[in-house]
Amino acid sequence: MKNKPLFVVVLLILLAGCYRNQQVSESQIALLMPDGNVVTEVKGAGRYTDMSYWSDIKIVDVSSKIFEWNDPDLVTNDKQVIGVTLSVTVQRDRNAEKALAMWKNYNIESQSDESLKVLVLSRLARSAKNATAEFSLDEMLGTGDAADGGRTALADKIREALEKDLGA
């Protein structure tokens, strides 16, 4: 076993948290953790290497995602039961400060698209129910005397509530 010390060194390098030539695409950001625990830098597209023993890198997808939500039993302020289907486009922020805040406050959602979808759709349901309760059916449809706003006003109300709720 002449090569035993060499094998041990190679094994230690492979088990270390270091990363070499880690590629980050245009639709991603990299969170660099020199100590393997605390994010110290947020970087954009490129290749990154850190051979420190504890170093780690987390890749966050910042491309747009489209989620659909449907509720057949929403109620307007004039007690009309309506069905609403909404399509919402979300994107994780690539701004360093906001990316760090998301990593700290919504860690799983910053890494998993499915968790992000669950978070957004749960907030969307509350926002849509509150918004539809503020409008009559005629106001939502933009018909009759209530022709100012219509669906656009409803969509704006839901968007504003979501932005406030999700900190967008």
Side-chain angles (χ1 to χ4, degrees):
M1 284 300 267
K2 272 173 140 176
N3 295 334
K4 189 172 185 177
L6 179 62
F7 174 74
V8 171
V9 170
V10 169
L11 183 64
L12 286 175
I13 290 172
L14 292 174
L15 293 176
C18 63
Y19 51 92
R20 184 173 174 274
N21 286 330
Q22 181 70 44
Q23 185 172 341
V24 178
S25 72
E26 289 293 327
S27 65
Q28 299 172 324
I29 56 172
L31 305 177
L32 306 182
M33 297 178 266
D35 66 356
N37 192 26
V38 178
V39 176
T40 59
E41 283 186 90
V42 178
K43 297 281 192 172
R47 290 187 184 270
Y48 300 97
T49 300
D50 187 342
M51 296 305 288
S52 303
Y53 187 76
W54 297 109
S55 63
D56 196 7
I57 186 171
K58 296 293 182 187
I59 308 297
V60 177
D61 183 4
V62 293
S63 64
S64 296
K65 311 282 182 245
I66 299 173
F67 305 132
E68 194 169 288
W69 177 83
N70 181 17
D71 190 335
D73 297 318
L74 293 179
V75 180
T76 65
N77 75 355
D78 56 350
K79 309 288 188 264
Q80 297 291 320
V81 178
I82 60 169
V84 174
T85 298
L86 299 173
S87 213
V88 61
T89 303
V90 298
Q91 182 176 5
R92 295 174 183 99
D93 206 315
R94 56 177 75 237
N95 172 286
E97 190 176 301
K98 289 185 177 185
L100 287 173
M102 183 165 188
W103 181 258
K104 290 177 186 174
N105 298 324
Y106 298 101
N107 188 274
I108 298 300
E109 290 81 0
S110 66
Q111 298 174 68
S112 164
D113 290 344
E114 194 56 39
S115 295
L116 178 64
K117 179 180 180 178
V118 169
L119 173 70
V120 170
L121 294 184
S122 69
R123 306 289 171 85
L124 179 62
R126 180 177 40 199
S127 299
K129 288 177 184 186
N130 291 339
T132 56
E134 291 183 27
F135 293 91
S136 70
L137 183 58
D138 285 340
E139 289 171 335
M140 276 189 242
L141 296 174
T143 60
D145 295 335
D148 57 340
R151 294 179 185 171
T152 304
L154 177 63
D156 289 344
K157 189 70 122 171
I158 294 170
R159 183 183 40 76
E160 289 169 11
L162 274 177
E163 286 177 349
K164 181 181 174 190
D165 205 18
L166 293 173

